[in-house]
Amino acid sequence: MIPNYKKVLQFTPPVDGLIEYAGHSNRDIILTMLKNHPKAVAQAKNYARFFDRGNAEKTAQALHGFCRLYFDYNKDPEGEQNIALPAVIIRRRFNDCKANSIFITSALHALGYETGYKFVSYKEGFKTPSHVYSYTVDHRGIEIPIDGTANTFNWEKPYIYAKIYPVKVQSISDNNGINAKMTKKKSY
């Protein structure tokens, strides 16, 4: 079951959370998303419990369904890259792949599920990512892709190259909560 939009909105903090970048590199976008992930998690802690279904797969499915039901897809204007945090994402109700990924990943992280960001490229010989989505891992250790812009849950378009950035649940002594690793995967 997908949580009611008004209930989630009620528990979303009314804070600023839009970082605008015009003409910056793909690497800057990735680093900005990762740098601001702890702020996104702090905002998600207020409403994430409404999505928790007791396991990673069902929780991810509720988050994906919420994106599909309540958020319209809207690309950033030409030459701009906006990085939005959950307080903005929920209120504006239109998002691109970056915003949907931040919304989903921060909520899963706030609930303590294994999660991260997957930046992918679909062109042979072109390693610069053109899309991002979230993922989680089920109880068997199987990765579950969560693309808030895709019509289907637990589906990912075959990609040529991926940069995968897992996030870990923060401990008291861990201030940034990011455990980044890069991998490359060919599609078949």
Side-chain angles (χ1 to χ4, degrees):
M1 178 164 205
I2 299 169
N4 179 281
Y5 173 79
K6 288 181 182 177
K7 189 169 203 157
V8 172
L9 180 62
Q10 179 183 357
F11 287 88
T12 302
V15 296
D16 184 35
L18 185 63
I19 302 128
E20 295 183 26
Y21 284 90
H24 284 255
S25 73
N26 193 280
R27 182 176 182 276
D28 288 342
I29 293 165
I30 293 170
L31 291 175
T32 300
M33 287 177 67
L34 296 176
K35 177 182 159 201
N36 285 282
H37 179 77
K39 290 178 191 172
V41 173
Q43 291 180 14
K45 284 181 180 178
N46 293 295
Y47 60 80
R49 67 183 180 274
F50 297 119
F51 294 94
D52 197 0
R53 301 294 179 265
N55 68 54
E57 184 172 13
K58 289 180 181 175
T59 301
Q61 190 169 19
L63 287 158
H64 177 267
F66 190 87
C67 287
R68 299 302 303 149
L69 182 62
Y70 295 116
F71 298 156
D72 291 328
Y73 178 77
N74 191 12
K75 286 173 61 171
D76 286 333
E78 188 66 35
E80 285 185 28
Q81 290 295 328
N82 298 315
I83 311 296
L85 298 179
V88 171
I89 292 166
I90 292 169
R91 282 183 169 73
R92 72 180 182 187
R93 295 182 71 170
F94 63 87
N95 298 305
D96 62 2
C97 61
K98 297 183 306 295
N100 284 335
S101 299
I102 290 168
F103 173 78
I104 292 167
T105 305
S106 63
L108 287 167
H109 188 166
L111 292 167
Y113 292 110
E114 187 175 342
T115 187
Y117 298 96
K118 189 181 275 192
F119 296 85
V120 298
S121 172
Y122 300 107
K123 286 177 140 182
E124 189 68 48
F126 191 70
K127 291 184 177 182
T128 302
S130 59
H131 187 54
V132 61
Y133 51 93
S134 305
Y135 72 88
T136 191
V137 178
D138 72 10
H139 66 283
R140 298 167 293 174
I142 297 172
E143 184 180 292
I144 300 168
I146 317 149
D147 185 343
T149 65
N151 290 329
T152 305
F153 171 70
N154 196 5
W155 175 87
E156 62 188 335
K157 181 178 175 179
Y159 55 84
I160 302 297
Y161 179 78
K163 290 182 181 180
I164 300 171
Y165 294 88
V167 294
K168 61 183 178 179
V169 177
Q170 294 177 329
S171 68
I172 293 170
S173 63
D174 182 7
N175 290 329
N176 78 2
I178 301 295
N179 176 20
K181 82 177 176 185
M182 296 171 65
T183 62
K184 181 178 180 179
K185 182 176 178 181
K186 283 226 178 228
S187 62
Y188 297 95

